[in-house]
Amino acid sequence: MYHKTTGYRVFSYFNYAFMILAGLACFLPLLHLLAQSLSSKAAISGNMVSFWPVGFNVDAYIKTFNNSNFNGAMLTSITRTVLGTTISMFILTCAGYALSKEFRGRNVLMWFFIFTMLFSGGLIPSYILITALGLKDTIWALVLPGAFGAYNLILLVNFFKTIPKALEEAAFIDGASFFVILSKIYLPLSLPGIATVSLFIMVGHWNSWFDGILYMSDASKYPLASFLQTVVVQSNMQNMAMSQSEVAAMSEQSIKAAQIFVSTLPIILVYPFLQRYFVKGIVLGAVKE
Amino acid sequence: MKKSWPLYVLCIPAFVFVCIFSYGPMVGLLMAFQDYKPWLGITGSRWIGLDNFERIFQYKEATQAIVNTLIIAVSKIIVGIIVPIVMAILLSEIRNMGIKKSVQTLVYLPHFLSWVTVAGLMIDILGLDGGINHILTQIFGNDPIYFLGDPDLFRFTVVISDVWKSFGFGMIVYLATIAGINPSYYEAAEIDGATRRQQIRYVTLPSMLPMIIVISTLSLGNILDAGFDQVFNLYNPLVYSTGDIIDTYVYRSSLLNGQYGFGTAVGLFKSGISLILIVVSYRLAYKYANYKIF
């Protein structure tokens, strides 16, 4: 029995230690961020903050939530996430259900959709199209262009295909229509798949920053991720609309940390609940027998 | 035969969206063959044949960006395949379900953070007075290392931060494959006196092979995708020589400098080669691992 050999036991101890370290490595940077956001300016500039706040205060959060630019950006992000996920899921479940069936022209249609995954017009033509459609500076520029994703469609089609045909046939005999079958049989039974795809789309919208910078000419219309990009990466603290004395009194790093943390919080909160779904969803979408 | 018209109806919304937002921009690819001026539009701009494409190979910055893209993307693909496989095998050796689940939950997390957030973390941790340098200077007593401003280190930093963000998520499929291996193989191997290492070598790895082949071949299609979101948020003019990739170059040369036709040509060049590579990789995955996308 290999479990009992000394070699395996030594390996096992190291393995446990290594895996716990790997897990912590994925989480400690965020903890560091949280500690910074709650620390005083002196502690941060003196490099004294690791994973525990030093000189505890919540000024950075008060500043963040009192900042109208931040709140506006948050509202834009929430709007685009709700709107975008609803539209995407409507389009995708309709098409996904249909394409999980056999009908004339089904393969042609499928390839028509999948081709968009293989080849695209690219950045400039997309930008010009959105401008020409008059979507620039509206929330639709953030919601509509990415509403259809071929990868998500494939996941859903594969999911719908796993539902036994007999269920559908029985419902047909009872006189149910396609639409009734979709909403009463397929949607409830493919909840893991739908939850997975919804999670991907939601996270995608929440995290998406480049389209905001590209399509919004005014920083006040930025979604949260784009706003953060200017503050955190470009270090453009002017977007925070703080007076010189306020900036001087607080650590820039602590404000940045607070903002990153607040913007990440919804993901950290939602994702443990959806984890069991997405693991199942990914595996069913990828490993087919 | 049941009526199938409702199925067509259900496909209409997707069809409309794809036509407008995916196939629509493809019309704009005509700009690649034009000296495009925004005020003249595609119909009014002057046609210049393949001049824009020739420029890709004349401009030193453009060829540099292509080389950088290849180096960064290939390194990411290699490291990004090996690390998840090794981690999945190691994690499957953990018998304590509580620890196993907790580790899994933690390592999946970074995948869901945006590159803006991760860049914020990296800029802070990897900075001259950041956490990593703090530790390194105390142990080795060396000068602080400028991870994000040194052209020699930038690619390394990009690959490592990419692995940090994505290895956990990449593990999911491998873990599922390992979980699906028939336990009787291991029992038989044990009766034959195989050590755990031999079991991994002769049972686990061969069982994972089809999945490894599929993922490796499919990643071939990403060879010109070095990750715009990541590089854009981490790079700066100091590291353009080794860190500028095709996508970031397109953004700077076209949208910021107004060379629309040229930028479109670079984009088309990239999409064209990617398309060929993806088709080849799907063919290979189908041939060697019997993989079909749908």
Side-chain angles (χ1 to χ4, degrees), chain A residues 25-49:
Chain A
C26 292
F27 161 74
L28 286 182
L30 281 171
L31 194 65
H32 174 58
L33 204 68
L34 178 65
Q36 280 189 326
S37 69
L38 294 167
S39 296
S40 69
K41 184 176 182 176
I44 290 174
S45 49
N47 237 332
M48 296 188 307
V49 185

mmCIF file of all heavy atoms in Angstrom, chain A residues 25-49:
data_model
loop_
_atom_site.group_PDB
_atom_site.id
_atom_site.type_symbol
_atom_site.label_atom_id
_atom_site.label_comp_id
_atom_site.label_asym_id
_atom_site.label_seq_id
_atom_site.Cartn_x
_atom_site.Cartn_y
_atom_site.Cartn_z
ATOM 1 N N ALA A 25 -1.903 32.103 -1.796
ATOM 2 C CA ALA A 25 -1.297 33.025 -2.761
ATOM 3 C C ALA A 25 -2.359 33.681 -3.638
ATOM 4 O O ALA A 25 -2.160 34.782 -4.158
ATOM 5 C CB ALA A 25 -0.285 32.285 -3.636
ATOM 6 N N CYS A 26 -3.477 32.992 -3.803
ATOM 7 C CA CYS A 26 -4.532 33.548 -4.649
ATOM 8 C C CYS A 26 -5.431 34.503 -3.885
ATOM 9 O O CYS A 26 -6.295 35.150 -4.457
ATOM 10 C CB CYS A 26 -5.376 32.423 -5.245
ATOM 11 S SG CYS A 26 -4.449 31.458 -6.426
ATOM 12 N N PHE A 27 -5.226 34.567 -2.583
ATOM 13 C CA PHE A 27 -6.178 35.279 -1.749
ATOM 14 C C PHE A 27 -5.495 36.388 -0.947
ATOM 15 O O PHE A 27 -6.065 37.452 -0.717
ATOM 16 C CB PHE A 27 -6.852 34.235 -0.846
ATOM 17 C CG PHE A 27 -7.532 34.766 0.362
ATOM 18 C CD1 PHE A 27 -8.731 35.437 0.233
ATOM 19 C CD2 PHE A 27 -6.976 34.609 1.625
ATOM 20 C CE1 PHE A 27 -9.369 35.933 1.355
ATOM 21 C CE2 PHE A 27 -7.598 35.103 2.736
ATOM 22 C CZ PHE A 27 -8.801 35.774 2.599
ATOM 23 N N LEU A 28 -4.229 36.156 -0.569
ATOM 24 C CA LEU A 28 -3.517 37.140 0.240
ATOM 25 C C LEU A 28 -3.383 38.518 -0.411
ATOM 26 O O LEU A 28 -3.505 39.524 0.279
ATOM 27 C CB LEU A 28 -2.138 36.593 0.637
ATOM 28 C CG LEU A 28 -2.173 35.518 1.728
ATOM 29 C CD1 LEU A 28 -0.764 35.074 2.091
ATOM 30 C CD2 LEU A 28 -2.897 36.015 2.971
ATOM 31 N N PRO A 29 -3.139 38.608 -1.734
ATOM 32 C CA PRO A 29 -3.070 39.951 -2.320
ATOM 33 C C PRO A 29 -4.330 40.773 -2.061
ATOM 34 O O PRO A 29 -4.253 41.976 -1.800
ATOM 35 C CB PRO A 29 -2.889 39.672 -3.808
ATOM 36 C CG PRO A 29 -2.207 38.360 -3.863
ATOM 37 C CD PRO A 29 -2.779 37.576 -2.720
ATOM 38 N N LEU A 30 -5.483 40.092 -2.089
ATOM 39 C CA LEU A 30 -6.727 40.814 -1.817
ATOM 40 C C LEU A 30 -6.818 41.238 -0.357
ATOM 41 O O LEU A 30 -7.310 42.321 -0.042
ATOM 42 C CB LEU A 30 -7.933 39.951 -2.185
ATOM 43 C CG LEU A 30 -8.271 39.892 -3.671
ATOM 44 C CD1 LEU A 30 -9.334 38.856 -3.943
ATOM 45 C CD2 LEU A 30 -8.730 41.261 -4.162
ATOM 46 N N LEU A 31 -6.315 40.372 0.506
ATOM 47 C CA LEU A 31 -6.328 40.690 1.930
ATOM 48 C C LEU A 31 -5.419 41.891 2.205
ATOM 49 O O LEU A 31 -5.747 42.787 2.985
ATOM 50 C CB LEU A 31 -5.859 39.475 2.736
ATOM 51 C CG LEU A 31 -6.130 39.526 4.235
ATOM 52 C CD1 LEU A 31 -7.619 39.522 4.497
ATOM 53 C CD2 LEU A 31 -5.472 38.347 4.933
ATOM 54 N N HIS A 32 -4.281 41.906 1.514
ATOM 55 C CA HIS A 32 -3.335 43.017 1.610
ATOM 56 C C HIS A 32 -4.021 44.329 1.210
ATOM 57 O O HIS A 32 -3.882 45.359 1.860
ATOM 58 C CB HIS A 32 -2.147 42.720 0.692
ATOM 59 C CG HIS A 32 -1.155 43.821 0.570
ATOM 60 N ND1 HIS A 32 -0.496 44.365 1.650
ATOM 61 C CD2 HIS A 32 -0.697 44.499 -0.513
ATOM 62 C CE1 HIS A 32 0.322 45.322 1.240
ATOM 63 N NE2 HIS A 32 0.210 45.429 -0.061
ATOM 64 N N LEU A 33 -4.798 44.226 0.135
ATOM 65 C CA LEU A 33 -5.538 45.375 -0.365
ATOM 66 C C LEU A 33 -6.526 45.875 0.686
ATOM 67 O O LEU A 33 -6.625 47.073 0.955
ATOM 68 C CB LEU A 33 -6.295 44.921 -1.605
ATOM 69 C CG LEU A 33 -6.691 45.939 -2.635
ATOM 70 C CD1 LEU A 33 -5.451 46.462 -3.296
ATOM 71 C CD2 LEU A 33 -7.585 45.282 -3.666
ATOM 72 N N LEU A 34 -7.246 44.927 1.283
ATOM 73 C CA LEU A 34 -8.225 45.290 2.303
ATOM 74 C C LEU A 34 -7.529 45.961 3.484
ATOM 75 O O LEU A 34 -8.003 46.980 4.000
ATOM 76 C CB LEU A 34 -8.969 44.024 2.765
ATOM 77 C CG LEU A 34 -10.012 44.206 3.871
ATOM 78 C CD1 LEU A 34 -11.156 45.063 3.372
ATOM 79 C CD2 LEU A 34 -10.554 42.857 4.335
ATOM 80 N N ALA A 35 -6.391 45.416 3.878
ATOM 81 C CA ALA A 35 -5.646 45.990 4.997
ATOM 82 C C ALA A 35 -5.203 47.414 4.670
ATOM 83 O O ALA A 35 -5.316 48.319 5.502
ATOM 84 C CB ALA A 35 -4.433 45.116 5.313
ATOM 85 N N GLN A 36 -4.718 47.615 3.438
ATOM 86 C CA GLN A 36 -4.286 48.954 3.038
ATOM 87 C C GLN A 36 -5.431 49.943 3.070
ATOM 88 O O GLN A 36 -5.280 51.091 3.491
ATOM 89 C CB GLN A 36 -3.729 48.914 1.616
ATOM 90 C CG GLN A 36 -2.324 48.406 1.530
ATOM 91 C CD GLN A 36 -1.777 48.597 0.141
ATOM 92 O OE1 GLN A 36 -2.511 48.504 -0.837
ATOM 93 N NE2 GLN A 36 -0.493 48.868 0.045
ATOM 94 N N SER A 37 -6.611 49.467 2.602
ATOM 95 C CA SER A 37 -7.742 50.385 2.515
ATOM 96 C C SER A 37 -8.174 50.852 3.902
ATOM 97 O O SER A 37 -8.808 51.888 4.032
ATOM 98 C CB SER A 37 -8.902 49.716 1.789
ATOM 99 O OG SER A 37 -9.444 48.688 2.574
ATOM 100 N N LEU A 38 -7.838 50.089 4.924
ATOM 101 C CA LEU A 38 -8.263 50.431 6.288
ATOM 102 C C LEU A 38 -7.135 51.032 7.118
ATOM 103 O O LEU A 38 -7.280 51.219 8.322
ATOM 104 C CB LEU A 38 -8.813 49.182 6.989
ATOM 105 C CG LEU A 38 -10.110 48.609 6.405
ATOM 106 C CD1 LEU A 38 -10.392 47.227 6.951
ATOM 107 C CD2 LEU A 38 -11.282 49.531 6.677
ATOM 108 N N SER A 39 -5.984 51.307 6.464
ATOM 109 C CA SER A 39 -4.830 51.785 7.223
ATOM 110 C C SER A 39 -4.634 53.287 7.081
ATOM 111 O O SER A 39 -5.163 53.924 6.185
ATOM 112 C CB SER A 39 -3.567 51.070 6.759
ATOM 113 O OG SER A 39 -3.670 49.710 7.050
ATOM 114 N N SER A 40 -3.830 53.825 7.994
ATOM 115 C CA SER A 40 -3.559 55.259 7.966
ATOM 116 C C SER A 40 -2.469 55.594 6.951
ATOM 117 O O SER A 40 -1.724 54.716 6.512
ATOM 118 C CB SER A 40 -3.097 55.709 9.347
ATOM 119 O OG SER A 40 -1.818 55.178 9.601
ATOM 120 N N LYS A 41 -2.399 56.865 6.589
ATOM 121 C CA LYS A 41 -1.438 57.289 5.587
ATOM 122 C C LYS A 41 -0.005 57.002 6.036
ATOM 123 O O LYS A 41 0.813 56.513 5.263
ATOM 124 C CB LYS A 41 -1.590 58.789 5.314
ATOM 125 C CG LYS A 41 -0.665 59.257 4.214
ATOM 126 C CD LYS A 41 -0.868 60.694 3.858
ATOM 127 C CE LYS A 41 0.067 61.057 2.712
ATOM 128 N NZ LYS A 41 -0.111 62.404 2.234
ATOM 129 N N ALA A 42 0.288 57.282 7.301
ATOM 130 C CA ALA A 42 1.643 57.080 7.813
ATOM 131 C C ALA A 42 2.051 55.615 7.713
ATOM 132 O O ALA A 42 3.165 55.287 7.307
ATOM 133 C CB ALA A 42 1.725 57.548 9.259
ATOM 134 N N ALA A 43 1.108 54.734 8.055
ATOM 135 C CA ALA A 43 1.426 53.307 8.028
ATOM 136 C C ALA A 43 1.710 52.835 6.609
ATOM 137 O O ALA A 43 2.613 52.041 6.373
ATOM 138 C CB ALA A 43 0.275 52.512 8.629
ATOM 139 N N ILE A 44 0.928 53.348 5.642
ATOM 140 C CA ILE A 44 1.121 52.902 4.262
ATOM 141 C C ILE A 44 2.437 53.426 3.704
ATOM 142 O O ILE A 44 3.223 52.680 3.129
ATOM 143 C CB ILE A 44 -0.059 53.333 3.378
ATOM 144 C CG1 ILE A 44 -1.301 52.536 3.768
ATOM 145 C CG2 ILE A 44 0.262 53.108 1.910
ATOM 146 C CD1 ILE A 44 -2.539 52.977 3.055
ATOM 147 N N SER A 45 2.710 54.711 3.916
ATOM 148 C CA SER A 45 3.948 55.249 3.347
ATOM 149 C C SER A 45 5.171 54.699 4.074
ATOM 150 O O SER A 45 6.252 54.633 3.519
ATOM 151 C CB SER A 45 3.940 56.781 3.362
ATOM 152 O OG SER A 45 3.564 57.235 4.631
ATOM 153 N N GLY A 46 4.991 54.247 5.313
ATOM 154 C CA GLY A 46 6.096 53.623 6.029
ATOM 155 C C GLY A 46 6.218 52.137 5.731
ATOM 156 O O GLY A 46 7.031 51.454 6.332
ATOM 157 N N ASN A 47 5.387 51.638 4.780
ATOM 158 C CA ASN A 47 5.457 50.247 4.358
ATOM 159 C C ASN A 47 5.235 49.269 5.508
ATOM 160 O O ASN A 47 5.876 48.231 5.591
ATOM 161 C CB ASN A 47 6.829 49.961 3.735
ATOM 162 C CG ASN A 47 6.641 49.428 2.332
ATOM 163 O OD1 ASN A 47 5.612 48.809 2.045
ATOM 164 N ND2 ASN A 47 7.597 49.677 1.469
ATOM 165 N N MET A 48 4.321 49.609 6.397
ATOM 166 C CA MET A 48 4.131 48.767 7.566
ATOM 167 C C MET A 48 2.919 47.845 7.442
ATOM 168 O O MET A 48 2.681 47.009 8.294
ATOM 169 C CB MET A 48 3.979 49.635 8.822
ATOM 170 C CG MET A 48 5.233 50.433 9.122
ATOM 171 S SD MET A 48 5.204 51.287 10.679
ATOM 172 C CE MET A 48 3.715 52.224 10.626
ATOM 173 N N VAL A 49 2.149 48.029 6.357
ATOM 174 C CA VAL A 49 0.910 47.266 6.235
ATOM 175 C C VAL A 49 1.152 45.983 5.463
ATOM 176 O O VAL A 49 1.628 46.018 4.332
ATOM 177 C CB VAL A 49 -0.157 48.097 5.503
ATOM 178 C CG1 VAL A 49 -1.484 47.344 5.480
ATOM 179 C CG2 VAL A 49 -0.318 49.452 6.156
#
